[in-house]
Amino acid sequence: MTRAPAILIMQPHLAPLTTLLEGSFTVHRFWEGPPVEAATEIGALVVAGEYPLDKALIDRLPNLKLIACFTSGYDGIDVGWCRARGLAVTHAPGVNHEDVADHALGLILASRRMIVSGDAQVRSGAWTAETRTITPSLKDQRLGIIGLGAIGEAVARRAETFRMSVAWWGPREKPAAWPRAESLIALARDSDILVLACKADESNRGLVSAEVMDALGPQGLLVNVARGQLVDEDALIAALKSGRLGHAALDVFEVEPTPAARWSGVPNLILTPHTGGATTAGVQGMLMLLFQNLEAAFADQPLVTPVAD
Amino acid sequence: MTRAPAILIMQPHLAPLTTLLEGSFTVHRFWEGPPVEAATEIGALVVAGEYPLDKALIDRLPNLKLIACFTSGYDGIDVGWCRARGLAVTHAPGVNHEDVADHALGLILASRRMIVSGDAQVRSGAWTAETRTITPSLKDQRLGIIGLGAIGEAVARRAETFRMSVAWWGPREKPAAWPRAESLIALARDSDILVLACKADESNRGLVSAEVMDALGPQGLLVNVARGQLVDEDALIAALKSGRLGHAALDVFEVEPTPAARWSGVPNLILTPHTGGATTAGVQGMLMLLFQNLEAAFADQPLVTPVAD
């Protein structure tokens, strides 16, 4: 009997994939120790695309042919470096962008309509006969979307249902149902709510700078469902503390998991643990593509969803 | 100079109306003491419609002509009793139903996508490299709406944008874009999420009973943005504690403000302090109608938004 093709799962939070994959593959798990004995067998790495690739490890895997991102994003992957070594890279596009957009709207509603703070208010007994909390209506709020890809368009469609107006900015003009701002600063200045929905790479690290936060302003809300590195996190903390930026709601962070202490005492802030695209339906779709790409790679068939040039 | 017509504001959380109304009216405030000396002057009561009317007080105001609800709801008002005394009743319909629907979606997203609990998870340091929270996608969730009025329809339109399927139930058949369930129990049984969006009166007190909660079940989510009395709150607490009902998100309560201690130790629950319709835009619209109805009543002109028969 032929031994099943060997794969190596890199990040411990992907451990639940093990039972689903070991029916078809010999599964190694990096955090249980370097796969020294299996080094010549491993044909594919299974990774979360936001984590930097361990290039030193890859150089010790002579028969590796595929870097399979479980995720849609692959910002941790040096694709050019992989190509130069003959390594294919796959990912899981188009399966969870609607769920990410749902989460963005959830964060907007939770912040603007004070759902997280309202829950704390009721539980602490601070709701009294004399208090009545008035929250801002979403009606006519101006939503600015950074990056009008699949997620950005899904956010825009939802925002219209909530009676918000929509504009966007991205580095490249494209046909769209909503107007493109002339610059990111202009978009921030003319928005009440700014949502990050773009891809991240080295070219746009820290895209949302202190200057962008100042343009969004003391009533503004910054929502990030894209990647933590797109926001200058130190500047964000300072802007929220000083009140120069009104509110923020973050699903992604410069370092994940983000240390709890980093956010202690930072006001007007909602934090979620990178759950935007990690839904039951999203994970099923991602798993299906992962499986198909692994099968194709080991059968020397065309990959289903290779990373585009 | 003629003295401005006198009005009496009943509930302390309506106190902020004072400064807006005293340009045109002599404003008395009930919680500062019974208006004994002004009893013959007061021509209108300004009330929040969810609070029971103080009938004994009204019998001591001989020149009262109007009960002006600041709110859309008037479930605390015995309209028949008022009519029998020649008292008109007005309210503020059609100004905040979209905001209430927004809040309902905010509660659905906050519960299903674990935004309140996710915030607590990050802040407590419980997000670690080994944990990855998977939340349910809203896609294909079956939303049941109790009461397809203005709020219910607005919830339905939003739910479709989030890829949910919609059904509804109400005591009366009506033309609608979504199917009506044969009964409330049938709606609960065939729904993943049940949203209360109907009017409350004595005929439907405790409408969402233990039986309805059991039909919704251990994965189900109950959302109430209508009135607290529509839900058997003791049964709800028992159902959540036993797990017979999965989740609840409540903006309204049997008694408001609801005592914090009542909800201590009740799992899978989000609470907001009746903020569904209390938005900046909603309050502006309500204030406009209140003002117009008061002016009309004192000028013996037709009322703008009398309570319908």
Side-chain angles (χ1 to χ4, degrees), chain B residues 2 66 78 120 123 129 224:
Chain B
T2 313
L66 176 66
D78 184 342
R123 291 178 187 279
N224 193 358

Side-chain angles (χ1 to χ4, degrees), chain B residues 110-131:
Chain B
S111 179
R112 278 299 194 240
R113 301 303 306 275
M114 297 176 69
I115 290 173
V116 177
S117 61
D119 183 75
Q121 185 188 354
V122 176
R123 291 178 187 279
S124 72
W127 182 20
T128 68
E130 288 73 33
T131 57

Side-chain angles (χ1 to χ4, degrees), chain B residues 5-306:
Chain B
I7 63 175
L8 176 62
I9 303 179
M10 291 301 293
Q11 286 84 30
H13 75 267
L14 299 180
L17 296 176
T18 307
T19 48
L20 302 161
L21 294 172
E22 62 190 2
S24 305
F25 306 99
T26 302
V27 178
H28 298 275
R29 308 199 291 184
F30 181 70
W31 60 96
E32 294 178 344
V36 178
E37 292 173 19
T40 58
E41 292 171 22
I42 289 168
L45 294 193
V46 173
V47 306
E50 67 267 37
Y51 289 83
L53 213 51
D54 184 339
K55 293 179 179 176
L57 171 74
I58 289 173
D59 280 336
R60 296 194 301 271
L61 304 175
N63 292 310
L64 190 68
K65 56 172 77 173
L66 176 66
I67 310 294
C69 299
F70 180 61
T71 49
S72 173
Y74 50 89
D75 42 300
I77 313 301
D78 184 342
V79 177
W81 184 90
C82 291
R83 290 224 170 97
R85 272 155 192 76
L87 289 171
V89 182
T90 58
H91 67 139
V95 292
N96 66 5
H97 59 281
E98 299 265 5
D99 287 326
V100 175
D102 287 356
H103 197 74
L105 268 293
L107 291 175
I108 290 171
L109 285 156
S111 179
R112 278 299 194 240
R113 301 303 306 275
M114 297 176 69
I115 290 173
V116 177
S117 61
D119 183 75
Q121 185 188 354
V122 176
R123 291 178 187 279
S124 72
W127 182 20
T128 68
E130 288 73 33
T131 57
R132 179 54 62 105
T133 303
I134 309 293
T135 69
S137 175
L138 292 190
K139 184 177 193 308
D140 298 332
Q141 295 223 9
R142 299 165 303 167
L143 181 73
I145 299 174
I146 304 176
L148 199 67
I151 294 172
E153 290 207 11
V155 170
R157 289 196 310 275
R158 285 157 177 74
E160 290 193 328
T161 306
F162 286 94
R163 305 161 292 147
M164 293 186 260
S165 65
V166 173
W168 67 283
W169 176 83
R172 282 171 298 278
E173 185 61 84
K174 59 183 278 188
W178 305 278
R180 176 172 176 255
E182 65 181 16
S183 68
L184 175 54
I185 289 289
L187 183 73
R189 189 191 60 216
D190 296 336
S191 294
D192 302 302
I193 302 169
L194 194 61
V195 176
L196 273 153
C198 58
K199 283 184 185 163
D201 58 31
E202 281 313 310
S203 75
N204 61 11
R205 183 176 289 274
L207 181 69
V208 175
S209 61
E211 191 189 1
V212 173
M213 297 171 203
D214 284 348
L216 187 54
Q219 307 300 322
L221 164 63
L222 177 69
V223 174
N224 193 358
V225 290
R227 282 289 183 264
Q229 70 181 54
L230 292 162
V231 174
D232 181 338
E233 236 176 45
D234 290 335
L236 176 66
I237 290 169
L240 288 168
K241 281 186 169 175
S242 70
R244 293 198 324 280
L245 177 66
H247 300 263
L250 309 175
D251 187 48
V252 289
F253 304 88
E254 278 181 1
V255 174
E256 297 186 4
T258 191
R262 183 161 175 70
W263 305 102
S264 174
V266 183
N268 302 320
L269 176 65
I270 294 172
L271 309 168
T272 52
H274 202 154
T275 42
T279 63
T280 43
V283 166
Q284 274 179 13
M286 291 153 80
L287 182 61
M288 178 87 75
L289 289 177
L290 173 68
F291 203 87
Q292 292 172 341
N293 281 309
L294 289 170
E295 293 262 320
F298 285 115
D300 288 320
Q301 296 292 315
L303 298 166
V304 180
T305 47

